[in-house]
Amino acid sequence: MWTIGGTFPGPTLESPIAQGMIVEWQNRLPARHLFAIDHTLHGAGRNLPDVRAVIHLHGGRTRAASDGYPESWTVPGHSPGNSQICHYPSLQHAAPLFYHDHTMGINRLNTWAGMMGFCILRDAREDPLNLPAGSRDIPILICDRTLRADGQLDYPVSEKPGEPWVPEAFGDAILANGKLLPYLDVEPALYRFRLLNGSNGRFFRFSLTNRPHDDALQFFVIASDQGLLAAPVPLRRITLAPAERAEVLIDFTPFAGQHLELISDSFQILQFRVATGGSLGTNKVVIPSAARSADTIPSTLHPTPRIPESAAVRTRRLTLDENMDYIRRSMGMLLNNTPWHAPITEKPVLHSTEIWEFVNLTDDSHPIHLHLVRFQILDRRPFDQFAYQSKGTLHFFGPAKPPAPEEMGWKDTVRADPAMVTRIIIPFDGYAGRYIWHCHILEHEDNEMMRPYEVLPEGSHS
Ligand code: C2O
Ligand code: CU
Ligand code: CU
């Protein structure tokens, strides 16, 4: 793999909020790329080096200069020009963030190669909640990959000579923290897992089962992309699109001596081997029950007041498009039918609030991510794609659906489902500057489903 810091996932960066971090990402990649580059994609031309890298902190409230702009890549080497120095001020809420490559035109390849890891921002103000900590607070990056018969990492290619790009890459090997079918020894106690879907394109529907009984067991969702929910949400299944995160509490207390499994549909992902309650006859260290008695699931977590729609100064209607180019026999994917290099059209003003509505004209669900900001999901509403395409009119087929309870907190990535208008409300807090928004299916992102946007200084007119 091509990793960051020599492991996959890369080392977990941990920091208290507001302390700030300076990270120097040094490009020491080899001279040849691991996978086939499609030089016909914008930003991956033959005039550019094949091996390039730039790292973005996903979910970080970061100044534009440190955000990892896709065109600000470095090439391998040892001089200062081969590294990217980033300041992450972490002036934001505690949240499960992650870092990953973002290089123009080859992000899907670099990230698939392994360039990603967690960044956990902590806030001492959460301590009174007594959530599981230390060895019982575990980040798990789950992703699919393809392995060749010789066990090496593989990435699919199209059948078109010279144009290897594929619209989606799905692997049949599901890795949890880089391992295939691993297990984790746990105590019969409460645990906090920070789940990240690190796939290029696969959506997961996680559930917890006690095979062979195959019951879908209950767990509690306590946080979404940008931190704690207002209250724990009991669930038996949770969907995570690429780049979405969820923090869950699992209580293993009733399962002493049993094996549970985290699964997604028919995929086995991770086995939990729950220690027996007593330590008799085993050499396992068991935490005495007194130490666990504080483990209760809090009834409330962190207030997340809903932003009223009236707070928005403007609503932008933005389409998600897939256009078949019958001459080139290739699929074009765009945001608002506008390619990456066209002039910037979305220019919100710093500290203003806007509603963005994503009109999904495609047959796919696209996880849409905005850099810099956090937002709330307003609703999703089914509409007539044909009427929109032919007459440009928005005709709804039914009422708007509120987000699921586990989506009610702060988000940075939202599933825009097919034939739905998905609305989010975004306070543009942080910094003025040029950022990006894009689909987080990395094959789509590399093929123009990505646009710059610019936060204008306060007092400007957008
Ligand atoms: Cu996960 Cu543009 O980022
Ligand atoms: Cu991001
Ligand atoms: Cu997409």
Side-chain angles (χ1 to χ4, degrees):
M1 301 189 89
W2 281 7
T3 62
I4 293 173
T7 61
F8 180 72
T12 297
L13 307 178
E14 291 187 65
S15 170
I17 56 162
Q19 177 176 284
M21 288 178 280
I22 294 173
V23 180
E24 180 178 0
W25 308 98
Q26 299 182 334
N27 189 338
R28 301 280 170 83
L29 293 168
R32 263 185 62 116
H33 208 288
L34 206 48
F35 303 123
I37 290 172
D38 189 326
H39 295 289
T40 67
L41 295 181
H42 182 77
R46 288 193 189 279
N47 55 326
L48 300 172
D50 278 2
V51 179
R52 298 171 283 136
V54 59
I55 306 300
H56 164 63
L57 178 61
H58 180 124
R61 185 180 285 181
T62 309
R63 280 186 198 278
S66 289
D67 194 50
Y69 201 69
E71 291 168 344
S72 305
W73 35 264
T74 63
V75 292
H78 289 264
S79 66
N82 305 106
S83 76
Q84 171 198 357
I85 298 175
C86 294
H87 177 218
Y88 302 118
S90 317
L91 293 166
Q92 58 187 104
H93 280 169
L97 313 184
F98 69 113
Y99 57 84
H100 61 79
D101 179 81
H102 220 308
T103 310
M104 195 74 206
I106 54 169
N107 173 21
R108 71 194 184 292
L109 307 175
N110 286 358
T111 305
W112 184 273
M115 294 166 60
M116 62 197 317
F118 274 98
C119 170
I120 307 236
L121 299 184
R122 300 181 185 277
D123 184 348
R125 287 174 300 179
E126 289 181 4
D127 293 351
L129 292 171
N130 262 316
L131 294 168
S135 62
R136 287 193 278 124
D137 172 0
I138 302 177
I140 306 179
L141 185 158
I142 299 149
C143 61
D144 64 341
R145 290 294 186 268
T146 305
L147 302 175
R148 294 198 308 248
D150 64 356
Q152 293 300 308
L153 189 61
D154 199 13
Y155 182 86
V157 291
S158 76
E159 282 163 5
K160 285 193 291 177
E163 294 179 41
W165 177 83
V166 292
E168 262 117 34
F170 296 115
D172 52 6
I174 312 289
L175 307 181
N177 283 351
K179 296 210 168 137
L180 193 56
L181 296 174
Y183 69 89
L184 180 70
D185 284 319
V186 294
E187 300 300 331
L190 191 67
Y191 278 70
R192 176 184 194 170
F193 295 101
R194 304 176 189 246
L195 306 177
L196 156 64
N197 182 350
S199 303
N200 280 29
R202 184 181 290 283
F203 287 55
F204 287 116
R205 272 182 297 276
F206 294 120
S207 58
L208 184 69
T209 159
N210 58 344
R211 284 166 201 263
H213 308 290
D214 262 337
D215 306 325
L217 304 171
Q218 181 173 273
F219 52 86
F220 292 85
V221 184
I222 56 165
S224 56
D225 305 334
Q226 287 282 321
L228 292 178
L229 302 175
V233 176
L235 276 190
R236 292 175 194 276
R237 175 164 283 116
I238 184 166
T239 299
L240 289 188
E244 280 191 303
R245 287 89 72 206
E247 295 187 9
V248 301
L249 295 183
I250 299 179
D251 187 3
F252 294 111
T253 319
F255 304 104
Q258 296 188 35
H259 290 177
L260 307 187
E261 271 174 26
L262 181 70
I263 62 172
S264 174
D265 297 328
S266 55
F267 286 110
Q268 290 168 264
I269 296 173
L270 170 62
Q271 187 184 59
F272 298 107
R273 298 185 178 172
V274 190
T276 51
S279 50
L280 259 191
T282 83
N283 58 359
K284 285 239 159 70
V285 180
V286 174
I287 301 168
S289 47
R292 299 198 304 264
S293 58
D295 282 352
T296 48
I297 296 172
S299 54
T300 61
L301 296 162
H302 187 91
T304 49
R306 305 295 294 166
I307 309 170
E309 283 183 39
S310 58
V313 297
R314 153 163 211 171
T315 297
R316 296 179 196 268
R317 177 168 297 168
L318 302 155
T319 57
L320 313 183
D321 318 283
E322 277 172 12
N323 307 309
M324 188 65 195
D325 179 335
Y326 290 98
I327 299 170
R328 284 183 61 223
R329 286 192 306 125
S330 67
M331 186 72 93
M333 299 175 168
L334 294 171
L335 298 173
N336 220 26
N337 265 320
T338 316
W340 163 260
H341 54 270
I344 297 181
T345 38
E346 285 69 59
K347 298 180 182 178
V349 175
L350 185 63
H351 297 136
S352 73
T353 296
E354 295 193 356
I355 292 172
W356 286 22
E357 44 185 49
F358 304 117
V359 180
N360 188 341
L361 299 171
T362 79
D363 297 331
D364 293 321
S365 181
H366 301 272
I368 301 295
H369 168 54
L370 278 78
H371 286 210
L372 177 72
V373 290
R374 58 179 192 166
F375 53 75
Q376 293 178 357
I377 304 174
L378 290 172
D379 49 32
R380 297 184 177 92
R381 194 167 179 190
F383 74 103
D384 183 343
Q385 287 177 315
F386 184 76
Y388 195 93
Q389 301 264 38
S390 54
K391 295 185 242 110
T393 53
L394 203 47
H395 171 76
F396 291 108
F397 279 144
K401 297 177 191 143
E406 68 275 17
E407 294 182 312
M408 283 284 196
W410 289 101
K411 298 277 294 166
D412 57 42
T413 305
V414 60
R415 285 193 306 280
D417 290 333
M420 291 278 199
V421 175
T422 300
R423 297 194 312 147
I424 61 174
I425 187 163
I426 319 154
F428 284 91
D429 293 331
Y431 311 98
R434 189 175 51 165
Y435 293 90
I436 60 174
W437 65 289
H438 60 89
C439 174
H440 221 290
I441 292 177
L442 302 183
E443 287 70 29
H444 297 186
E445 177 193 321
D446 270 349
N447 191 7
E448 302 276 324
M449 214 167 185
M450 176 163 80
R451 284 282 294 154
Y453 81 89
E454 186 173 356
V455 180
L456 300 176
E458 242 171 324
S460 350
H461 293 279
S462 58

